[in-house]
Amino acid sequence: MDILTLVERIGEAPAAALLGLLTGVIFGIAAQRSRFCLRAATVEFARGQMGDKVAVWLLTFSTALVWVQGAQYLGLFRAEDARIMAVPGSWSGAVIGGLLFGVGMVLARGCSGRLLVLAATGNLRSVVSGLVFAVVAQMSLSGWLAPTRDTLAGMWITSGGQNMDLLATLGLPDLFGLMLGLATAVLALVVAARNKIGVWRLIFASGVGFAVAVGWVSTYALSQVAFDPVPVESATFTGPSASTLMFFLDNTAILEFDIGLVPGVFLGSFLASWLAGEFKFQGFEDEANMRRALTGAAFMGFGGMLAGGCAIGNGVTGGSVFAGTAWLALLCMWIGAMVTDVLVDQRGVRQPA
């Protein structure tokens, strides 16, 4: 069934939600089985290691580049139509929000996407942290924290009324993104081979990148046949978490891609963990752990909204279309996470209580 037939049968809004659900299920299964996690990769790197977690992250990032840039080369998608590219980006938001998000994901022991995946496997710590993340994200979007976010984001924005296309700005050829993705994939496979990572884990890691491409291509296809404007978007969890929360709290909310994405990730992760016999209820270890996790979740909620996306939304989805602020936010997330690990966790290891 093609997109036009789907729209004619169920309507534009349900079709968008269904595409979000499909993207989410693919992402959830792949992320759960590959153990994909930016927080884990940054911590590993901060401790001077190039282990399995770095390899998985590199493979996910590189395959997202390959799938998305390849789709663009084949005419299945246009990066300039992506929502993240069509609106002004915030350099100041990318820096401040990226740093806060990096700090938060180390404190919470997982980025927002990872918390959603873990919540579906029975991790109650991630359920509570994810709810705090979604509430703070909503407060940052249109609640009490919105004026602060607007002020910080407005300090330094991209020129020309849209985000910066790094490839165009640097004068790089159209195929550069695809070539960079392939080169990074080779590096990821070398690191994976040194760490003796199994083939299936590598396949699922590339599946996370594939899910990002599915989101971009499917929403682009929908935008070409829909009567009303449809945002061209893909996997990200800051805005969608807030939107999904409000969908269940406010009966005036409408169906859209975001509303299908979050439940899709939860469903995919749950099925993957259940079938693998890994579903298990877990809680907070102690009060200190709970305080730390909830503080981290709040940092991520505000930081992700300020940065224009989370570790997935900026670090993989936005990065795959070479949005300037997404790459800057990703860099700042790495910096924030590594510094936090050094100052908080590694110091705790060297100086045990």
Side-chain angles (χ1 to χ4, degrees):
M1 182 187 298
D2 59 23
I3 295 293
L4 180 58
T5 303
L6 179 65
V7 170
E8 290 175 343
R9 288 191 177 183
I10 65 175
E12 294 176 8
L18 185 60
L19 295 176
L21 183 71
L22 173 64
T23 301
V25 168
I26 297 172
F27 183 99
I29 293 173
Q32 197 281 329
R33 300 311 304 151
S34 67
R35 305 296 191 268
F36 169 77
C37 180
L38 176 61
R39 191 276 310 178
T42 57
V43 168
E44 193 173 70
F45 190 77
R47 300 183 183 191
Q49 303 169 17
M50 289 287 284
D52 64 310
K53 299 174 182 62
V54 171
V56 167
W57 187 87
L58 284 173
L59 189 58
T60 293
F61 181 76
S62 62
T63 52
L65 287 180
V66 171
W67 285 113
V68 173
Q69 293 297 312
Q72 183 167 234
Y73 182 74
L74 294 174
L76 302 175
F77 165 69
R78 294 200 332 158
E80 56 264 37
D81 291 339
R83 180 163 65 176
I84 192 174
M85 300 298 293
V87 297
S90 170
W91 298 117
S92 54
V95 173
I96 301 171
L99 290 172
L100 287 174
F101 193 96
V103 172
M105 69 180 181
V106 170
L107 294 178
R109 292 161 60 182
C111 71
S112 51
R114 182 61 178 165
L115 291 181
L116 180 58
V117 170
L118 289 176
T121 67
N123 191 312
L124 301 179
R125 169 181 57 82
S126 295
V127 172
V128 176
S129 298
L131 286 173
V132 170
F133 167 79
V135 169
V136 174
Q138 181 61 38
M139 291 172 62
S140 304
L141 176 63
S142 58
W144 290 356
L145 295 176
T148 303
R149 178 185 62 85
D150 290 340
T151 299
L152 294 175
M155 292 169 58
W156 186 18
I157 63 174
T158 56
S159 60
Q162 59 187 12
N163 210 325
M164 175 187 285
D165 182 334
L166 287 177
L167 295 182
T169 301
L170 297 176
L172 297 171
D174 293 339
L175 285 177
F176 179 83
L178 181 59
M179 295 299 103
L180 178 62
L182 291 172
T184 308
V186 171
L187 173 61
L189 292 175
V190 170
V191 177
R194 289 179 177 176
N195 289 277
K196 300 180 180 179
I197 301 177
V199 173
W200 278 109
R201 190 177 179 191
L202 296 178
I203 291 174
F204 282 117
S206 64
V208 180
F210 177 70
V212 170
V214 168
W216 281 131
V217 172
S218 62
T219 55
Y220 174 76
L222 180 61
S223 73
Q224 300 304 296
V225 301
F227 179 78
D228 295 320
V230 173
V232 179
E233 56 191 326
S234 189
T236 184
F237 296 105
T238 307
S241 294
S243 298
T244 303
L245 175 66
M246 294 308 297
F247 179 80
F248 290 108
L249 296 178
D250 183 357
N251 60 10
T252 63
I254 62 173
L255 285 172
E256 56 184 349
F257 179 86
D258 290 357
I259 304 303
L261 177 67
V262 173
V265 173
F266 190 92
L267 176 61
S269 302
F270 169 76
L271 291 175
S273 65
W274 182 270
L275 293 175
E278 296 178 357
F279 184 89
K280 179 182 178 181
F281 286 113
Q282 304 174 60
F284 291 101
E285 289 86 349
D286 50 42
E287 181 182 342
N289 179 263
M290 183 175 184
R291 287 198 304 268
R292 168 179 167 146
L294 299 188
T295 301
F299 275 30
M300 285 196 294
F302 181 75
M305 194 61 72
L306 176 59
C310 62
I312 304 299
N314 277 318
V316 181
T317 300
S320 68
V321 294
F322 287 88
T325 58
W327 281 70
L328 179 59
L330 174 62
L331 173 63
C332 291
M333 288 175 188
W334 274 82
I335 294 172
M338 290 172 62
V339 170
T340 304
D341 179 65
V342 170
L343 296 181
V344 178
D345 289 340
Q346 291 190 43
R347 187 176 65 178
V349 170
R350 291 194 297 265
Q351 301 175 1

